[in-house]
Amino acid sequence: MTATPAPFTADDYQARMERAARAAADAGLAGVLVAPGPDLVWLTGYAPPAATERLTLLVLAAGQDPVLVVPTLEAPDAEKAAGAPALTLRDWTDGKDPYATTAPLLDAGGRFGVSDNAWALHLLGLQKALPGTSYVSLTEGLPMLRAVKDAAELERLAAAGEAADATYEEILKVAFAGRRESEVAGDLADLLRRFGHSQVDFTVVGSGPNGANPHHEAGERVIENGDMVVLDFGGLKHGYGSDTSRTVHVGEPSAEERRVHDVVREAQEAAFRAVRPGIACQDVDRVARAHITEAGYGDRFIHRTGHGIGVTTHEPPYMIEGEEQPLVPGMCFSVEPGIYLPGRFGVRIEDIVTVTEDGGRRLNNTSREMAVVH
């Protein structure tokens, strides 16, 4: 496995905050308001308590220093964040109005990008304090903010992909037949942690007819000989995501099962080969969808071909019809076509791919051929 990467520095976080402020100005926004969540971690390295109702907000705007508004009782932790030297902390105490503290930092008539997971309570509080302001979600206003990864981020994503690959190689060695889906899902979670994941986000084990539900949650169904089994698993390693899918078969598959699997594998390969700078995200989807449609299963491919990945396992950009954003070197996203036959079985094959200067590079490299398990 790869070595632990060097931690991000205050300079790294400063560069990200400056980039976000410039991107906001270029998009015609007065600035960016970032609540606790993945955007705040990416921009500052600070992750406040998950379940806090107290306002924490990073304010970024071109031409002014970054300011992080925090509750006084959490200021000591914020000061320890790797990005803290690159910003100013402004704290507020219980019993005081946090919006009165924040309002002077904002253009009273500005339109701001707001991180998607900001609490409505806090947004409404800002609107009341500054009635002339307006807001747009970052996914809508700055969808590409985190989309292009630098070399250090790509290193972490590659390490997460390598760990997911090692997990898949090991899961092929366990017994499937006669065990519950939840037991195999537990094996996947244990393996992801063994190979360095600090967080497991999902372990989909869809056996037999359950495989026809793309987001099936592993349950108590006992896996049987003759089942097709969709495995989709991932999480975070070194703060960056993994996400891979393979479809295995318990015992020898039928000719139809092999054909469906081949169609998905070929569609996935075609979509991967289409990846290159300058093409639109929707073109990746179109290539995969055209192959599956030509094979007669177009109405059974019921989700987008891919999603971005970074400090979260699902983020922009999305590989779907209507997304005209061109691919740029450093973008990372999944390529995961599938076919789902209700009441029977499903097949999905997924790799994380990064855009290079002249094409694409897979961050998952396990075999995409159907594996036979027992």
Side-chain angles (χ1 to χ4, degrees):
M1 305 302 287
T2 55
T4 301
F8 294 119
T9 67
D11 288 343
D12 294 323
Y13 291 114
Q14 181 175 2
R16 291 176 184 177
M17 287 188 280
E18 290 174 350
R19 173 177 151 193
R22 287 195 305 270
D26 291 345
L29 298 173
V32 177
L33 307 179
V34 185
D39 291 316
L40 187 63
V41 172
W42 183 76
L43 286 162
T44 69
Y46 178 49
T52 177
E53 73 285 359
R54 295 180 173 92
L55 176 71
T56 296
L57 198 70
L58 175 67
V59 180
L60 301 176
Q64 71 182 51
D65 293 336
V67 178
L68 180 62
V69 178
V70 294
T72 300
L73 78 169
E74 292 167 11
D77 289 333
E79 290 171 350
K80 297 174 186 175
L87 51 79
T88 299
L89 289 181
R90 186 163 299 182
D91 66 321
W92 61 276
T93 58
D94 283 354
K96 303 294 185 181
D97 182 357
Y99 311 111
T101 300
T102 309
L105 305 173
L106 275 57
D107 177 348
R111 181 170 176 79
F112 293 87
V114 181
S115 51
D116 294 0
N117 54 344
W119 284 32
L121 170 72
H122 298 319
L123 197 58
L124 292 169
L126 287 174
Q127 285 183 314
K128 184 176 181 180
L130 296 169
T133 55
S134 60
Y135 306 91
V136 60
S137 72
L138 285 186
T139 289
E140 181 181 347
L142 295 175
M144 296 298 111
L145 180 62
R146 302 196 322 251
V148 178
K149 275 64 179 181
D150 62 24
E153 292 182 290
L154 289 173
E155 179 186 5
R156 286 162 170 78
L157 283 160
E162 183 182 355
D165 284 356
T167 294
Y168 177 65
E169 296 288 0
E170 288 298 311
I171 204 68
L172 295 180
K173 301 174 184 177
V174 310
F176 278 72
R179 301 179 69 211
R180 293 181 176 85
E181 292 174 339
S182 58
E183 294 176 292
V184 177
D187 291 340
L188 285 169
D190 290 344
L191 287 165
L192 285 169
R193 294 189 183 96
R194 183 203 300 178
F195 292 117
H197 277 62
S198 60
Q199 177 176 312
V200 176
D201 285 350
F202 48 87
T203 51
V204 172
V205 179
S207 64
N210 289 341
N213 175 0
H215 282 173
H216 171 70
E217 292 191 10
E220 297 307 298
R221 183 182 186 275
V222 175
I223 301 169
E224 302 173 355
N225 190 58
D227 279 348
M228 193 85 89
V229 185
V230 177
L231 305 173
D232 183 352
F233 50 94
L236 300 183
K237 178 176 181 177
H238 305 316
Y240 280 75
S242 68
D243 185 1
T244 190
S245 300
R246 294 292 185 265
T247 303
V248 303
H249 198 276
V250 185
E252 287 301 316
S254 68
E256 181 191 18
E257 288 169 330
R258 283 196 180 278
R259 177 174 182 269
V260 172
H261 191 278
D262 284 346
V263 170
V264 174
R265 179 177 52 78
E266 292 160 2
Q268 206 263 359
E269 177 68 18
F272 165 68
R273 291 188 177 278
V275 172
R276 62 183 181 278
I279 73 162
C281 292
Q282 67 181 3
D283 292 334
V284 179
D285 181 82
R286 286 173 175 176
V287 169
R289 205 165 297 278
H291 186 84
I292 289 175
T293 298
E294 185 178 351
Y297 296 99
D299 62 339
R300 303 320 321 157
F301 180 11
I302 56 177
H303 55 72
R304 64 198 175 202
T305 293
H307 57 81
I309 190 168
V311 293
T312 59
T313 48
H314 290 74
E315 62 186 44
Y318 299 104
M319 307 300 115
I320 187 61
E321 184 66 32
E323 179 51 81
E324 298 179 353
Q325 168 68 39
L327 299 188
V328 177
M331 281 184 177
C332 292
F333 49 85
S334 66
V335 177
E336 50 176 307
I339 293 174
Y340 307 93
L341 305 180
R344 301 183 62 205
F345 64 89
V347 175
R348 182 165 63 257
I349 299 173
E350 173 185 15
D351 294 324
I352 299 303
V353 172
T354 184
V355 184
T356 64
E357 294 296 331
D358 57 2
R361 174 169 68 96
R362 296 184 194 268
L363 300 186
N364 295 108
N365 294 289
T366 54
S367 173
R368 284 164 287 280
E369 299 291 337
M370 187 193 301
V372 174
V373 296
H374 302 286

